[in-house]
Amino acid sequence: MAPRAGQPEQRGPLLPGLLLVAAALSQPAAPCPFQCYCFGGPKLLLRCASGAELRQPPRDVPPDARNLTIVGANLTVLRAAAFAGGDADGEAAAAGGVRLPLLSALRLTHNNIEVVEDGAFDGLPSLTALDLSHNPLRALGGGAFRGLPALRSLQLNHALSRGGPTLLAALDAALAPLDELHLLGLAGNALGRLPAAALRLPRLEQLDARLNALAGLGPDELRALERDGGLPAPRLLLADNPLRCGCAARPLLAWLRNATERVPDSRRLRCAAPRALQDRPFLDLDEARLRCADGDADSRGEEVDLAGPELEASYVFFGLVLALIGLIFLMVLYLNRRGIQRWMRNLREACRDQMEGYHYRYEQDADPRRAPAPAAPAGSRATSPGSGL
């Protein structure tokens, strides 16, 4: 059929030719690893959630992967160069081997990870975010985070409570080389103190220390949070910590009042001890209330000293309430005095009548003339005058 006027002539081979050119220019997509899910887009995203079947990181991750998530596996031990070709027996990849040069985010939550060896993340030069939360870590190599020059976010929430002091000491060593770290999550780890290395990170912007066992921050820790050279000071999240509101908390209270914006959740801080100040807002306290006992600030005497004014005020208030109740009772008695007198008179007369009744019945029962005649003995017969006997 001839083409209409003004309409371009259709050329059959044009469309197949374009398809061939596009196929030649496009590169084949890398295969998705076994037991993982791959999502296309501007940044390749992988999710691997295979329960106990996945015991080591997948080896066939595409080299152009940008985000890798492994959740719910049973990795247990992250050996050296685990993501750069290191095998399960601990043999690391060749020096300088980079298998995932574009990986920027690695999430390894809920994977039952107990041990992270030195150099576990070697070969990930572009990694900026690492999440190891909700893993029962027991051992952490001092060089676990080496080779991560671009790391900006490290999340270790609910991951350090089982390791004890040894794990905290290793964490200090592992955090030291992370000069570019901006965000550090340490929530829910039962920490009694903040890691010293975390406070010294030069570019740290936020430290999440919620849900720990911090009784307060000392002067040395507060000084370590300050920055020189125009660098911004980090924000600190401290909610849900059992603060002890004694004299040792005075530096922290003064610091919070001068830099409230540094602690966004400062209004949620509550006292856990002593009992007199329990659950009181920390920022609402007066420094004069934060007292120490003689000799030892941590002794029980502090609690007694702090409890004295509280108990005294409570007793005064209780006495005022009792006095008010007594006054109201007396006023009610005065306003009803006539009715009370009439009620008392009626009660007295009723009691007198009752007693008179008892007395009358007693006299009747005691009268000998009203005693009953003795009964005749059994078997005896009465004789009449006319019986003739």
Side-chain angles (χ1 to χ4, degrees), residues 154-175:
L154 176 61
Q155 300 298 324
L156 295 170
N157 303 314
H158 301 278
L160 305 174
S161 57
R162 300 187 182 183
T166 304
L167 182 60
L168 295 182
L171 179 63
D172 274 332
L175 293 176

Side-chain angles (χ1 to χ4, degrees), residues 18-100:
L18 292 177
L19 293 177
L20 290 175
V21 173
L25 294 178
S26 61
Q27 297 179 354
C32 187
F34 179 64
Q35 299 177 341
C36 296
Y37 301 93
C38 296
F39 302 88
K43 295 182 179 180
L44 183 60
L45 171 64
L46 286 83
R47 288 184 178 273
C48 304
S50 57
E53 299 179 4
L54 189 63
R55 298 183 178 274
Q56 60 180 343
R59 295 176 173 274
D60 49 353
V61 177
D64 57 344
R66 304 295 183 89
N67 295 273
L68 175 58
T69 298
I70 302 177
V71 179
N74 192 21
L75 301 180
T76 309
V77 178
L78 290 182
R79 302 193 181 277
F83 296 89
D87 57 20
D89 297 330
E91 182 181 352
V98 177
R99 190 161 57 90
L100 299 173

Side-chain angles (χ1 to χ4, degrees), residues 291-321:
R291 302 180 181 180
C292 292
D294 294 336
D296 188 4
D298 294 329
S299 63
R300 294 179 58 87
E302 178 185 355
E303 184 174 337
V304 175
D305 191 21
L306 281 169
E310 291 289 335
L311 292 177
E312 183 179 355
S314 300
Y315 291 152
V316 171
F317 179 75
F318 185 65
L320 292 176
V321 172

Side-chain angles (χ1 to χ4, degrees), residues 12-377:
L14 180 60
L15 182 58
L18 292 177
L19 293 177
L20 290 175
V21 173
L25 294 178
S26 61
Q27 297 179 354
C32 187
F34 179 64
Q35 299 177 341
C36 296
Y37 301 93
C38 296
F39 302 88
K43 295 182 179 180
L44 183 60
L45 171 64
L46 286 83
R47 288 184 178 273
C48 304
S50 57
E53 299 179 4
L54 189 63
R55 298 183 178 274
Q56 60 180 343
R59 295 176 173 274
D60 49 353
V61 177
D64 57 344
R66 304 295 183 89
N67 295 273
L68 175 58
T69 298
I70 302 177
V71 179
N74 192 21
L75 301 180
T76 309
V77 178
L78 290 182
R79 302 193 181 277
F83 296 89
D87 57 20
D89 297 330
E91 182 181 352
V98 177
R99 190 161 57 90
L100 299 173
L102 302 180
L103 189 68
S104 60
L106 179 59
R107 183 185 178 207
L108 301 174
T109 60
H110 299 280
N111 285 306
N112 198 31
I113 299 174
E114 297 183 0
V115 179
V116 180
E117 295 184 352
D118 291 340
F121 305 100
D122 284 353
L124 303 176
S126 301
L127 192 67
T128 60
L130 175 61
D131 193 349
L132 292 171
S133 301
H134 298 280
N135 284 292
L137 292 179
R138 299 181 184 275
L140 181 68
F145 306 127
R146 73 185 183 194
L148 297 177
L151 191 65
R152 293 174 175 266
S153 174
L154 176 61
Q155 300 298 324
L156 295 170
N157 303 314
H158 301 278
L160 305 174
S161 57
R162 300 187 182 183
T166 304
L167 182 60
L168 295 182
L171 179 63
D172 274 332
L175 293 176
L178 300 179
D179 293 336
E180 297 297 325
L181 194 66
H182 290 186
L183 303 177
L184 177 59
L186 299 175
N189 286 314
L191 298 178
R193 64 172 181 85
L194 294 178
L199 302 179
R200 294 193 297 264
L201 293 173
R203 300 186 182 279
L204 188 66
E205 296 180 359
Q206 179 171 302
L207 174 58
D208 187 355
R210 295 171 296 175
L211 288 168
N212 279 291
L214 298 175
L217 297 181
D220 295 338
E221 294 172 308
L222 296 177
R223 281 193 296 268
L225 287 171
E226 303 301 327
R227 294 292 181 268
D228 298 329
L231 293 175
R235 296 186 302 271
L236 189 61
L237 301 179
L238 288 174
D240 301 314
N241 276 287
L243 297 182
R244 182 170 182 82
C245 298
C247 62
R250 290 176 183 174
L252 176 60
L253 182 60
W255 182 78
L256 283 175
R257 288 177 174 171
N258 293 329
T260 307
E261 69 283 355
R262 299 272 302 277
V263 184
D265 56 357
S266 58
R267 290 295 174 183
R268 295 175 53 193
L269 300 182
R270 294 290 187 273
C271 294
R275 285 178 296 178
L277 300 177
Q278 191 171 7
D279 206 33
R280 295 283 295 275
F282 184 64
L283 282 181
D284 294 346
L285 296 178
D286 188 358
E287 288 190 14
R289 302 288 301 279
L290 304 179
R291 302 180 181 180
C292 292
D294 294 336
D296 188 4
D298 294 329
S299 63
R300 294 179 58 87
E302 178 185 355
E303 184 174 337
V304 175
D305 191 21
L306 281 169
E310 291 289 335
L311 292 177
E312 183 179 355
S314 300
Y315 291 152
V316 171
F317 179 75
F318 185 65
L320 292 176
V321 172
L322 289 180
L324 181 60
I325 294 175
L327 182 61
I328 294 175
F329 180 72
L330 293 176
M331 185 175 297
V332 171
L333 292 179
Y334 177 77
L335 294 177
N336 293 276
R337 60 186 185 281
R338 297 182 183 277
I340 294 174
Q341 291 175 357
R342 184 166 52 253
W343 178 77
M344 292 294 294
R345 185 168 53 252
N346 294 337
L347 181 62
R348 184 171 59 251
E349 291 176 355
C351 291
R352 185 175 57 226
D353 294 342
Q354 189 72 17
M355 293 303 296
E356 288 178 355
Y358 286 145
H359 183 68
Y360 176 75
R361 284 195 294 273
Y362 176 76
E363 290 179 349
Q364 292 294 327
D365 294 339
D367 190 355
R369 294 173 298 178
R370 297 179 62 85

